[in-house]
Amino acid sequence: PDSSRLARDQEEALDKLVHAANKGEEEKVEELSKDILNNQKKLADALLKEARETDDPFRKRQILGGLDELDELIPEQLELANKVA
């Protein structure tokens, strides 16, 4: 599904963010942060659609729980990266 591709893209962007932060590349961190926030919105939309379309209550809870976790962790990761850079 689309959410799998978006999740992989988000993972790659987060890896790049960590490397840029560790190198002190402030502009790159800022650019990647914007990309990550944009990706997060797309991923959230795709996951919410997937949750609405599934009939499996366990899968629905998994999807929504994972989305909640991402919504909590992504801003923390961005804040830390900006502090390090």
Side-chain angles (χ1 to χ4, degrees):
D2 193 35
S3 61
S4 296
R5 181 186 51 80
L6 290 166
R8 280 192 306 275
D9 291 349
Q10 189 73 318
E11 185 177 359
E12 287 175 19
L14 286 166
D15 285 343
K16 290 177 184 176
L17 179 75
V18 170
H19 291 295
N22 287 333
K23 291 180 178 180
E25 299 174 343
E26 292 179 44
E27 289 181 21
K28 187 72 172 172
V29 167
E30 189 175 318
E31 176 188 322
L32 287 165
S33 294
K34 289 177 187 176
D35 291 346
I36 289 167
L37 289 173
N38 187 38
N39 289 346
Q40 184 61 22
K41 172 142 181 37
K42 291 177 186 176
L43 180 57
D45 290 346
L47 288 171
L48 288 172
K49 181 181 180 213
E50 202 173 306
R52 280 192 305 271
E53 291 175 352
T54 185
D55 293 328
D56 182 347
F58 177 75
R59 179 71 182 135
K60 186 176 295 219
R61 280 193 307 274
Q62 271 187 320
I63 293 168
L64 296 176
L67 181 56
D68 286 344
E69 202 170 312
L70 282 173
D71 285 342
E72 205 174 297
L73 295 175
I74 294 294
E76 289 175 13
Q77 183 107 23
L78 297 179
E79 184 180 337
L80 287 172
N82 281 287
K83 284 182 181 178
V84 169

